[in-house]
Amino acid sequence: MSERIEDQPLTIAGREFTSRLLVGTGKYRDFDEASRAIAASAAEIVTFAVRRTNLGQDADEPNLLDVIPPSRYTLLPNTAGCYTARDAVRTCKLARELLDGHKLVKLEVLGDDGTLYPNVVETLKAAEELLADGFDVMVYTSDDPIVARELERMGCCAIMPLGSLIGSGHGIQNPHNLRLIVEQSQVPVLVDAGIGTASDAALAMELGCDAVLMNSAIAHARDPEGMANAMRKAVEAGREAFLAGRMPRRQSAEPSSPFAGRING
Amino acid sequence: MQIQLNGDTKQLAGETTVGELVVALDLAGRRIAVEVNEEIVPRSQHDAIRLAEGDRVEIVHAIGGG
């Protein structure tokens, strides 16, 4: 009998997770929709953004952290919207204060408004400063394996290359680079942007990625809860396919039914 | 006294601590973080830190994001 490879938990910064799907909390119509979609995704790690309070807001208005309580989820504050290392570091420090000493952050330093492509120069600077300050840094980056290797060498706890542009839904545009990053990395590799539908998530996992992080693909689906459910299954299926080991690709056909014993033989 | 609060100019009547500003903004007890002149002011220090003319204050909270 063939040997089955039992999966190990996803380990990030010393913490173990069963789910390999991480989800964001942006772009939902309301907290109720977000809450139902996050529950359907079965995600254990949930990202959020840090922004100025709307002064004069209703004191009774629900807070995002009531919807995704830190007691139930591992919260992952991001630095979305930061274009410099300085702003990203400030944002992480604010997040740490907001969450009473929480160290795990998603670092993203963007290059421009049009592409939201990572600015790797600023990302490297910010990572260095955050790591020296004791943060556990999961880092959004390009799919450049040399940059990914450097971020890992510096001490980032997860490397998160884009599949395609943030919010584009264009899926995985360079599976070959992703595979190079997966093969060289000792820390978890997560596809962090560009997932559009379930097959994109499955492909990321089949390539050997350790997990997938997404927001728009679920929040902008016609039925976010339904899509969250689909993504949960896609990530699980992709992971199982990766562990099971795909058949080799062949140039020619090979029949599945035996030739021997055919009635016209 | 004038400070910059979340990017806008704000007049304060007199000597004010970070904690008093938070209360005045109806943000007491809410999940927020405060920075003054790009330095975090830990929650435990809110009542001890007095604001000064021209201080740049940021008060942030968690919102949806990916």
Side-chain angles (χ1 to χ4, degrees):
Chain A
M1 200 180 118
S2 59
E3 186 190 346
R4 176 165 301 168
I5 299 174
E6 289 298 325
D7 204 359
Q8 302 295 314
L10 170 67
T11 304
I12 296 176
R15 268 179 277 183
E16 292 188 350
F17 302 95
T18 307
S19 168
R20 292 176 179 271
L21 173 57
L22 289 68
V23 297
T25 50
K27 300 177 174 177
Y28 287 100
R29 277 187 283 268
D30 52 41
F31 280 156
D32 179 56
E33 186 183 70
S35 178
R36 282 185 290 110
I38 293 165
S41 77
E44 295 165 286
I45 304 177
V46 179
T47 63
F48 70 90
V50 175
R51 289 293 180 272
R52 287 170 166 167
T53 51
N54 303 316
L55 299 173
Q57 68 189 349
D58 180 355
D60 296 327
E61 191 182 310
N63 184 288
L64 178 67
L65 298 183
D66 299 329
V67 179
I68 46 163
S71 54
R72 178 162 166 210
Y73 295 100
T74 295
L75 297 188
L76 184 60
N78 69 30
T79 63
C82 291
Y83 292 83
T84 62
R86 182 171 153 232
D87 282 351
V89 169
R90 278 176 73 192
T91 301
C92 289
K93 289 179 178 175
L94 283 163
R96 182 168 60 185
E97 165 67 10
L98 191 62
L99 297 179
D100 303 316
H102 176 96
K103 293 196 304 183
L104 187 68
V105 292
K106 173 186 162 183
L107 171 64
E108 51 183 305
V109 189
L110 306 175
D112 65 44
D113 288 346
T115 64
L116 301 179
Y117 206 80
N119 178 331
V120 296
V121 176
E122 291 294 310
T123 300
L124 288 161
K125 273 194 236 171
E128 187 170 27
E129 202 170 325
L130 290 168
L131 291 162
D133 197 4
F135 282 96
D136 293 324
V137 180
M138 299 176 72
V139 60
Y140 174 61
T141 186
S142 65
D143 58 14
D144 178 338
I146 307 305
V147 172
R149 184 187 295 157
E150 180 59 16
L151 288 163
E152 179 176 358
R153 189 199 60 76
M154 291 168 72
C156 292
C157 66
I159 306 298
M160 306 204 288
L162 48 72
S164 53
L165 299 182
I166 291 174
S168 71
H170 280 168
I172 290 167
Q173 289 298 305
N174 196 340
H176 309 290
N177 272 29
L178 277 185
R179 194 192 298 274
L180 289 175
I181 294 171
V182 165
E183 285 173 356
Q184 75 182 13
S185 300
Q186 305 301 310
V187 295
V189 175
L190 292 77
V191 167
D192 181 12
I195 299 295
T197 189
S199 52
D200 299 331
L203 174 58
M205 299 308 293
E206 288 169 13
L207 287 168
C209 291
D210 296 280
V212 179
L213 195 163
M214 66 181 74
N215 189 155
S216 307
I218 296 173
H220 278 179
R222 185 178 52 74
D223 169 10
E225 191 176 1
M227 186 58 85
N229 203 35
M231 290 298 186
R232 176 177 54 76
K233 292 177 183 171
V235 167
E236 285 175 6
R239 179 66 180 174
E240 287 185 25
F242 170 72
L243 293 175
R246 64 157 296 142
M247 63 164 282
R249 288 185 170 85
R250 311 172 64 93
Q251 288 303 319
S252 55
E254 186 188 70
S256 296
S257 306
F259 261 56
R262 289 173 299 154
I263 57 169
N264 57 351
Chain B
M1 186 171 71
Q2 190 170 295
I3 61 166
Q4 290 291 314
L5 176 59
N6 285 1
D8 291 330
T9 301
K10 184 172 176 64
Q11 295 291 337
L12 299 179
E15 205 164 75
T16 304
T17 64
V18 170
E20 287 164 349
L21 177 65
V22 168
V23 169
L25 294 169
D26 216 10
L27 293 172
R30 295 182 69 83
R31 292 174 184 271
I32 55 163
V34 181
E35 186 193 62
V36 176
N37 301 330
E38 302 196 11
E39 292 289 335
I40 298 293
V41 180
R43 208 158 295 142
S44 60
Q45 297 291 306
H46 283 192
D47 290 331
I49 301 291
R50 293 182 191 287
L51 294 168
E53 178 73 29
D55 274 352
R56 286 167 292 119
V57 181
E58 297 285 347
I59 305 182
V60 301
H61 66 158
I63 66 149

